[in-house]
Amino acid sequence: MSARRRLPARRALGATATALAATLLVTPLGAGQASAAPAAPKSADPDTAALAGALTDQEIDWEECAFPGLAKERADSLRTVEGLACATVTMPLDWHDADNGRTIDVRISRTRTSDRDDRDRQGIALVNPGGPGGSGLPWGAAMAQRAPELAEYYDFVGFDPRGVGQSTPLTCTYTVPDDPSDQDAVNRAKVEGCMDGGLAPFITTEQTAYDMDFIRVLLGEPRMSYIGYSYGTWLGTWYAATFPGKSHRFLLDSSTDVTERSLERTWDLQPPSRDRQFQEALLPYMARNDDVYGQGTDPMKIREHFERAGGTREFIGQLFMAYYIIPAMYSTDQYPTAASAVAAIAADGIPEEGTEEQAVETVIDNILAVDPLTADQRAFVAEAKADILEAVEARQDGPGAAAATETFDATFEAIRCQDGQWNQNLDHWQRWLKRQERHAPLMAPFNSTPLCAYWPTDNRMPKAKKKTFPEVIVLQSELDAATAYEGGLATAKGLPGAAMISVDNEGSHGLFPYGTTCVDMPVINYFLTGQLPRKDFTGCQALPLPGEEETVEVAGEMKKNGKIKLRMRTDEVREANRLVRDLLREANTPEPSEAAASQSSGAEVSQSSEAGASQSS
């Protein structure tokens, strides 16, 4: 249920590839005696039933669910879940002015897997897959299938948050600047277009948290539980801090740093955390399996060959990174595909002869020849190939005739930018980009000044109060490249009463259900009994990577207290960064013969020398 963002023409590659690489969507698909869910305690929670007024009495028209974003086979499978039905419900547009008559639609799904007459029934559990902007509508049924132990006691509720999917969508229209290549002007125009559009100010996590509580009201439940992945952990924390008296059991899986004033730090951590997983886990995996990938047993040599072949500094290389390597940082089941892509590029490079389409075909042929991939992995390669060729074609077509206005899907940016003020100093972002060139060179070509640097907001995550905030579980993998371990650890330390389960040597994003007793049983037991793990920090071992029989120790060290001692830039990562800087300096420094020829013809070489110096600074 992941959403692939298609790359447009080259002129927009930086921003769009950043959005692709930054998207937080996860790729889907002993319990004790349960106790009865007590009535909700009295609290000072906002009363969404009173705020919504007449909307509280709306009739819910349940019908068969449609999941147009899923393959037919998967959608048909979800529709077999007991009692699955979908409906569109109406929410106030602005929960701070709920009686002004303006409304918005939210599409929801629910299952009927629990025994509603059983005193041990735990109620409803909402599920959100992340994004921000991920469609959660299929996730109620998906969770019932993935966690049948919980489905016996919970009815799962999926929903498309406001601005997403089958709910009222958010698009923003902006006036194209006179110079469409001026990214600063384009960013300012986009933000202005969203702020003037009417809907964007109400597409926020705060408003969605109120929607979630009103879903609870409409379903007649005194409290709700929640499973949130990735950005969904930010959403879940916002709800629990706003409606602590209505919060039952909450799992924050692959957590953002919810202790921060905004989502800025979560995205700051992404480039180096992706570089870290690439260097600390994927390349050593290739080195251990040299009989398959044929690139030697030294991870640093593999990195050198990959970088000398262009790495991510060229357009085609960026596409292969975005479509074949980054997905493996969301699910390590895809390591064979990613390793095959790295091996194909490291061994033969990207052909310079012929067309770009021919170059893509050649590299993909080499990928498929590296390793006997499974049928599913080959299908994944074929699907991504179509997207890559589409991106190449769009780049060759060019921007076309300049339009007076353009419209874009703005949900992702509206939520992450309006959930707390990002740094508005553009000099800060120029320095940030320079730091990424030094500390995260693998992902640096994907970075650009975020739209959030131009978007003012006064929203802020509500404080998690010690006396009222519910007990929650934080589940985090060591080498998560989308929501870094450091952010999850900060969340576990910062939320009152939180317990953390860390998975050592794991790089996947979105873990539960994971498939081991150590990880899954504490979560299941908590959802059925309310009992947190005995210790504040629990350390679990990862499953072996594809094709390997044992789990290999990489990156940080699991301490006795269950925490992982981990550095963002290890010695290996620092060495890799130096390697890339040296290669860039080498590429930008003219040979003596070239310099002499340039000087004799009156040309200046200072520009090339300065380029090399700036890249190595």
Side-chain angles (χ1 to χ4, degrees), residues 589-610:
T589 302
E591 295 291 337
S593 59
E594 295 175 348
S598 298
Q599 289 174 334
S600 65
S601 63
E604 296 185 5
V605 297
S606 59
Q607 182 176 357
S608 178
S609 299
E610 289 171 3

Side-chain angles (χ1 to χ4, degrees), residues 42 81 95 170 278 360 372 405:
K42 293 182 179 180
V81 172
W95 281 100
L170 171 65
F278 185 80
V360 169
T405 61

Side-chain angles (χ1 to χ4, degrees), residues 232-245:
T233 63
W234 179 268
L235 172 60
T237 303
W238 201 303
Y239 178 91
T242 307
F243 301 96

